[in-house]
Amino acid sequence: MRKFYLSALMVLSALLAVSCQNDDFDPDYPADEVEYNADRRILVAYFSQTGNTEALANQIVELTGADVYRIQPSEPYATNPYDDSDRIQNESYSDLRPGVANLPESVADYDVILVGSPIWWHNPAMVVCTFLENYDLSGKIIVPFFTYGSTEYLQQSIDKIHEVTPASTHLRTYSGGSVEEWLREIHVIQ
């Protein structure tokens, strides 16, 4: 009888774990059906502290011919982000919005904004959220891309970008491999 209860408890636990999974994640993103349009104006906006996100942003700019904008915080971070770990963790966990030193007056002329960030303490750098929340991005196509040594917090970072741009169309993020192939698959380039 004890084995029966133990088995039943294990089955119920497994069912509960499956039912608590994030049902909102759809790796096929219906918005991926957005068709290519050569007339779209594209902006690559990114924050990079160590150069990894900048390198990926530069590849995207080269392939798309997009305009580029580097997000710079009002209060610079340490050259080595690990030296600012407490600050970065507090910004992420407290959902803070650090200032941006060089906000463009407008991004209204752009149809597509590819936005890049490292993943810091489970989220994009909060300065990226500050940038995005400064504009009305309704109807814009937002494409996040991240640099991080693991995919463990990728979905959480994607969700944060979606949260701060709720009225935008979202295309699938870069998840490794050929940047050119990814841009073709999401119809940013032909």
Side-chain angles (χ1 to χ4, degrees), residues 19-111:
S19 69
C20 290
Q21 289 178 353
N22 183 356
D23 294 331
D24 296 332
F25 177 64
D26 178 4
D28 293 327
Y29 280 98
D32 282 349
E33 299 308 314
V34 169
E35 292 186 23
Y36 172 75
N37 180 341
D39 294 330
R40 284 193 194 117
R41 296 240 13 236
I42 302 172
L43 174 67
V44 175
Y46 71 94
F47 168 75
S48 184
Q49 190 61 24
T50 62
N52 295 328
T53 308
E54 180 177 31
L56 183 54
N58 287 337
Q59 286 182 49
I60 295 167
V61 168
E62 185 177 314
L63 290 163
T64 62
D67 291 340
V68 64
Y69 161 73
R70 183 175 184 156
I71 300 167
Q72 296 177 352
S74 297
E75 183 184 329
Y77 295 97
T79 304
N80 179 349
Y82 291 105
D83 294 339
D84 264 341
S85 192
D86 290 342
R87 172 186 171 193
I88 293 167
Q89 180 183 23
N90 182 48
E91 288 175 358
S92 179
Y93 288 4
S94 301
D95 203 24
L96 301 178
R97 297 297 183 267
V100 176
N102 60 334
L103 275 173
E105 237 178 82
S106 173
V107 296
D109 292 342
Y110 296 100
D111 305 298

Side-chain angles (χ1 to χ4, degrees), residues 1-189:
M1 189 67 154
R2 186 184 224 180
K3 285 184 181 182
F4 172 77
Y5 286 121
L6 186 56
S7 295
L9 183 60
M10 289 174 59
V11 168
L12 285 173
S13 296
L15 288 172
L16 180 61
V18 169
S19 69
C20 290
Q21 289 178 353
N22 183 356
D23 294 331
D24 296 332
F25 177 64
D26 178 4
D28 293 327
Y29 280 98
D32 282 349
E33 299 308 314
V34 169
E35 292 186 23
Y36 172 75
N37 180 341
D39 294 330
R40 284 193 194 117
R41 296 240 13 236
I42 302 172
L43 174 67
V44 175
Y46 71 94
F47 168 75
S48 184
Q49 190 61 24
T50 62
N52 295 328
T53 308
E54 180 177 31
L56 183 54
N58 287 337
Q59 286 182 49
I60 295 167
V61 168
E62 185 177 314
L63 290 163
T64 62
D67 291 340
V68 64
Y69 161 73
R70 183 175 184 156
I71 300 167
Q72 296 177 352
S74 297
E75 183 184 329
Y77 295 97
T79 304
N80 179 349
Y82 291 105
D83 294 339
D84 264 341
S85 192
D86 290 342
R87 172 186 171 193
I88 293 167
Q89 180 183 23
N90 182 48
E91 288 175 358
S92 179
Y93 288 4
S94 301
D95 203 24
L96 301 178
R97 297 297 183 267
V100 176
N102 60 334
L103 275 173
E105 237 178 82
S106 173
V107 296
D109 292 342
Y110 296 100
D111 305 298
V112 179
I113 301 174
L114 289 107
V115 61
S117 176
I119 296 177
W120 280 359
W121 287 98
H122 311 201
N123 282 302
M126 290 292 109
V127 71
V128 171
C129 296
T130 304
F131 164 75
L132 291 169
E133 289 177 334
N134 267 278
Y135 306 102
D136 177 4
L137 300 175
S138 302
K140 304 277 185 203
I141 296 171
I142 303 295
V143 187
F145 62 94
F146 301 98
T147 53
Y148 185 63
S150 164
T151 58
E152 188 171 351
Y153 301 108
L154 181 60
Q155 187 59 49
Q156 185 172 333
S157 296
I158 292 168
D159 291 345
K160 177 55 80 175
I161 297 296
H162 290 199
E163 176 186 315
V164 299
T165 58
S168 301
T169 299
H170 299 99
L171 299 184
R172 190 167 19 93
T173 191
Y174 174 73
S175 58
S178 167
V179 174
E180 183 173 0
E181 187 176 311
W182 164 63
L183 291 169
R184 286 186 198 293
E185 287 174 358
I186 62 172
H187 309 287
V188 171
I189 61 174

